[in-house]
Amino acid sequence: MKLLDEELVILDAEVKTAEDCIRLGGTSFYEKGYVKDGYTQAVIDREKVYPTGLPGKGVAIAIPHTNNTYVNKPAVGVIIPREPVKFCAMGTKDVWLDCEVIIPLVIKDSDMQINMLKQMMKIIQDGELLKKIRDSKDKSEILYCLKTLES
């Protein structure tokens, strides 16, 4: 299933906060028809209760997402911020990570979510791949690095 789209890859993003990242990704998803109105606020609200920061191998990432209520079709976005952005670590309320790669997920069903999170765990454990994603200036190269999410 096609989840990756170069138009959903944002490089050198001028964002300062986790909410800025979520709004940027949400706007992109909405403008391209992947999500319904209300998606962005739902992700912001969920992030406050269930944070999505993950200490990847050498590069911290965040995978903001919400339930499927606002999803038209599944997708994966990528935001590479100009400067690291603080996201709270998954499973905590007070551990903050300086995230350099943000991968917003738009997930349609729970089976897809489980599979995608398994693939995401492999990506998180691959420090070289994370650095390549972080440092790339080529959207197609970033998507190539994430192609396992479509399997």
Side-chain angles (χ1 to χ4, degrees), residues 40-114:
T40 300
Q41 192 58 51
V43 178
I44 290 167
D45 293 345
R46 185 188 183 285
E47 189 71 28
K48 290 174 184 169
V49 180
Y50 302 105
T52 63
L54 293 164
K57 193 169 183 179
V59 177
I61 78 163
I63 54 168
H65 57 281
T66 190
N67 64 37
N68 62 4
T69 306
Y70 300 98
V71 175
N72 291 327
K73 55 186 177 181
V76 175
V78 180
I79 300 170
I80 308 296
R82 185 168 290 173
E83 300 292 331
V85 174
K86 289 197 180 307
F87 273 78
C88 192
M90 195 177 282
T92 76
K93 296 283 182 222
D94 56 0
V95 176
W96 295 90
L97 301 172
D98 289 325
C99 294
E100 297 179 275
V101 176
I102 293 82
I103 303 178
L105 306 175
V106 176
I107 301 168
K108 190 75 173 158
D109 65 65
S110 55
D111 287 343
M112 173 185 270
Q113 181 171 355
I114 291 166

Side-chain angles (χ1 to χ4, degrees), residues 100-142:
E100 297 179 275
V101 176
I102 293 82
I103 303 178
L105 306 175
V106 176
I107 301 168
K108 190 75 173 158
D109 65 65
S110 55
D111 287 343
M112 173 185 270
Q113 181 171 355
I114 291 166
N115 185 48
M116 192 180 294
L117 292 175
K118 282 182 189 170
Q119 294 301 327
M120 191 62 72
M121 290 304 121
K122 292 177 187 169
I123 291 167
I124 290 166
Q125 293 165 5
D126 187 336
E128 290 304 310
L129 185 66
L130 287 175
K131 288 179 183 120
K132 191 173 187 176
I133 293 167
R134 178 195 65 198
D135 297 338
S136 180
K137 303 297 178 215
D138 181 343
K139 292 181 179 189
S140 61
E141 179 181 43
I142 290 171

